[in-house]
Structures are given as structure tokens and as C-alpha cells.
Amino acid sequence: MASTSTTQFPIAETGTAAAPDISVVAPAYNEAESVRKLWDKIAAVLGDSHWSYEVIFVDDGSSDDTWEQLRALQAEFPVGVRAYRLRRNFGKAAALSIGFGAAKGQFIVTMDADLQDEPAEIPNLMAKLDEGFDLVSGWKRERNDPLEKRIPSRLFNAVTRKISGLELHDFNCGLKAYRAEVVRELPLYGELHRYIPILAYADGYRVTEIPVKHHAREFGVSKYGLGRYFKGFLDLLTVAAITRFVQRPGHLFGGAGLGMGAIGFLILAYLSFIKLFFDEGIGQRPLLLFGVLLMILGVQLISVGLVGELFIRKLGGHRESYPIRETLGS
Ligand code: UDP
Ligand code: MG
């Protein structure tokens, strides 16, 4: 079947399509035992609702028989189920971005395919969107994961809150609901899926969270170890750069450079003063070295900022379109 996706990841096979209210996107990497149960639970919840829906599974290069399960499921429920299969394991961010590109719904709900997220929460997330929010994130207030997962996660969330300025308890929850426009064009790679709320928030979308039920993993194993937090943290720096300074690198580097340069200047001015007017020896003073260091660093940083600005100008990296909430007249 032909692919309708606009993303850059190679797709091996896909299922069929219709145009529903809600597209549920579920990334699945070796979740063969869970996908059918997940579909059953989602269908039980949304089948009873006034929303029409589709479930888009993205098999992220599984090596178990997740794809065979999905193939059978799609054959059984050709209207409700669509499935995409990546050629290899590209990571959750890639799987989500395939799902976002393929989703036809007006609203998109993401949830992990491992049954840890609870489909019965979808109506609660939707109610919050209905209040006018653009993105509603789940918050695993009572999280059913081992302690060695919960502690680094808390730390991670605290740092992310601090750097992003976005007050969410749980950036990492797989269960989220969006107005489709929030994520349809979002470029996702690496571990960036953790920061969708921040990217959306930086674009002016209204972001909130609600506590959601969270189950312990029943089948299969977790795909992540501690390593995710290191990668995740580096990605956070990228996100900070993207959301705050991509337009003006000069302000990031220049700001730091000006600060350091100014302190260095004051130190050197003070040393010059006591040398000239009190004839004190300053050649042996550690402060001299420190002042010189700060001045040099300041000049360097300001230069890096300027080079960054020239780069962006040359490469046309300045943002060309800004997200508009509403228009009146035409
Ligand atoms: N996942 C994926 N690609 C990956 C790793 C994970 O699609 O490379 C999926 C996985 O199948 C699951 C979700 O992302 O549905 C969350 O992964 P996991 O449950 O392992 O994370 P945890 O719940 O342990 O934080
Ligand atoms: Mg999980």
C-alpha cells in the first residue's frame, strides 16, 4: 500500500486509512504481546464515545513478531487500525513523527504500546483540550515503575522545569493529547520527543497536564536504561538553544561575553589604578591572571555570537513563519 507520510524515515509497509476525530498514535518496539490488548482497550473506550477514531501503530523496527500481530489486527479491523513499519529501530521520537505525519484526526493522542498508559484517560485528556488547551500531558502521579527509574526521572523533570520555564511534573509521560496542528509539522529526532511540550510552549501553544493512571509493565521489557537521561539532557540543551536562541545566538553568547568581559575589565582597571597611583606590584597577583582570562573569554564569546549571527543570516535560518492563533477577516 502506498505511503502517505511526509517524514524522512524509510517505511517498509503501511495499512489503510479514513478521516476520524481522534488519531491515537502508539509507538511499538518489541511489544508483540501488548498491541492487540491495547487496541481492545482503546476500542472499548472510544467505541462508546461520540468520537470517531483510528489507531496508528508504528512498529519501530521490532525483532519480535509485533509486525505480524499488527498485520493480523489490521486485517481484522481495516477501518480502525493503521500500521507503519520502520525499516530498523530509529527510536521513539522517529516512530512518533511517522505517526504524527500519518495521523488524519483533528486531535492526536499518543500512548505507549506497552499497556502502561491507560486508554480510559483519553476522555479526560480530551475534556481538557475542550477547555481550550492545545496540548494536555499526562502526569504519572503514582508511577508504577521501579525506584531506580523514578528517582532519575524526578531529577530530570526538575532540571527540565528549571531550564524550560514550563511547569510540568512529568515531561516523559507517553500519554498526551494534542490539537493536530501542534505536532503535525514538528521535526522530531534523537530524544526530542521528551520535549514536545516545551517546543509547543515556545511556539505559544497552551500547554497543561492532568494526573493519569499508570500501570506496571506486564509484558516485554523496558527499552530504556539510565543512558536516556544523559542523551536526554544533551537534547535539553539543544531544545533550550532552539526555543530561546536560535534567532539570536548573539544574545546568548554575547550576553555571557559581555558579563565576563565587564568583570574582567573592572578587575584590570582596579589593578591598573593601584599600580599607577600607589605603585603596588601587581605582576604576582592571581587576580591579574583572572582579569586577563575574563577579558579574553568575553571577547571570544562575543565573537562566537557574532559569527553565529552571520551564519544564520547567510543560511537563511531565521524563522520565516510564526504560529498564528486566530485571524479575523481575510
Ligand atoms: N519505543 C519505541 N522505540 C524505541 C524504544 C521504545 O517505539 O526505540 C516504544 C516502546 O515500545 C513503548 C514506548 O516507546 O511503547 C515507551 O518505551 P518503554 O516502555 O520501554 O519506556 P519506559 O516505560 O520504560 O519509560
Ligand atoms: Mg513503558
Side-chain angles (χ1 to χ4, degrees):
M1 252 150 259
S3 159
T4 54
S5 168
T6 53
T7 62
Q8 70 277 39
F9 296 99
I11 288 176
E13 297 172 56
T14 82
T16 44
D21 298 325
I22 303 180
S23 297
V24 179
V25 172
Y29 179 44
N30 294 340
E31 310 286 2
E33 288 160 292
S34 303
V35 286
R36 175 173 287 267
K37 292 195 174 66
L38 182 67
W39 158 258
D40 288 341
K41 287 178 94 175
I42 295 172
V45 172
L46 291 182
D48 269 351
S49 74
H50 62 277
W51 297 293
S52 58
Y53 65 98
E54 63 180 355
V55 179
I56 301 173
F57 288 96
V58 184
D59 177 351
D60 186 14
S62 296
S63 54
D64 67 356
D65 59 353
T66 298
W67 185 249
E68 284 63 42
Q69 294 292 330
L70 290 176
R71 187 196 297 282
L73 198 61
Q74 203 275 330
E76 218 174 303
F77 304 98
V79 180
V81 177
R82 295 161 71 202
Y84 288 75
R85 182 187 197 183
L86 283 158
R87 290 198 181 275
R88 67 165 172 84
N89 178 237
F90 281 93
K92 188 174 175 183
L96 284 175
S97 103
I98 292 292
F100 292 154
K104 298 205 155 82
Q106 193 188 343
F107 302 99
I108 296 179
V109 173
T110 58
M111 68 171 60
D112 291 353
D114 60 2
L115 299 171
Q116 290 198 264
D117 295 329
E118 175 53 60
E121 299 283 0
I122 296 177
N124 304 332
L125 296 166
M126 292 299 292
K128 212 68 190 168
L129 286 183
D130 210 39
E131 281 176 26
F133 290 99
D134 300 304
L135 189 170
V136 184
S137 181
W139 166 22
K140 299 168 290 210
R141 188 151 59 181
E142 276 154 47
R143 188 172 171 183
N144 283 301
D145 272 324
L147 200 66
E148 70 264 22
K149 244 182 152 129
R150 297 199 316 261
I151 289 176
S153 168
R154 284 205 148 197
L155 189 71
F156 175 84
N157 281 312
V159 173
T160 305
R161 255 195 312 275
K162 196 86 203 155
I163 293 190
S164 69
L166 177 60
E167 291 291 327
L168 292 187
H169 288 89
D170 186 0
F171 288 87
N172 233 336
C173 187
L175 182 57
K176 292 188 172 72
Y178 312 84
R179 287 173 202 283
E181 64 266 27
V182 179
V183 287
R184 194 151 273 154
E185 306 273 298
L186 209 63
L188 286 184
Y189 50 87
E191 306 286 302
L192 281 190
H193 59 279
R194 292 177 212 296
Y195 304 113
I196 297 174
I198 301 176
L199 295 168
Y201 178 67
D203 266 359
Y205 289 109
R206 286 160 290 191
V207 176
T208 190
E209 72 182 351
I210 59 169
V212 293
K213 247 194 244 135
H214 182 246
H215 304 289
R217 195 182 245 284
E218 249 182 279
F219 306 102
V221 293
S222 172
K223 311 306 180 302
Y224 293 103
L226 267 182
R228 77 161 113 185
Y229 294 106
F230 293 107
K231 290 189 212 158
F233 182 70
L234 291 174
D235 279 345
L236 179 59
L237 297 182
T238 308
V239 167
I242 294 175
T243 54
R244 297 201 191 168
F245 299 112
V246 72
Q247 301 291 303
R248 303 311 311 266
H251 289 185
L252 172 64
F253 294 103
L258 273 182
M260 288 189 189
I263 297 171
F265 177 80
L266 288 178
I267 290 174
L268 295 187
Y270 162 74
L271 291 176
S272 308
F273 180 78
I274 59 174
K275 168 78 187 162
L276 287 176
F277 294 98
F278 299 97
D279 201 26
E280 278 183 37
I282 58 168
Q284 295 300 318
R285 294 191 59 167
L287 196 60
L288 177 66
L289 212 60
F290 189 53
V292 171
L293 184 77
L294 285 178
M295 283 287 284
I296 293 177
L297 264 178
V299 172
Q300 296 252 11
L301 283 174
I302 292 172
S303 312
V304 168
L306 284 176
V307 171
E309 294 271 347
L310 293 178
F311 245 81
I312 286 186
R313 204 174 169 78
K314 191 76 188 163
L315 297 176
H318 279 295
R319 176 166 207 159
E320 272 157 20
S321 71
Y322 293 89
I324 289 174
R325 180 172 292 170
E326 288 173 51
T327 20
L328 296 171
S330 46

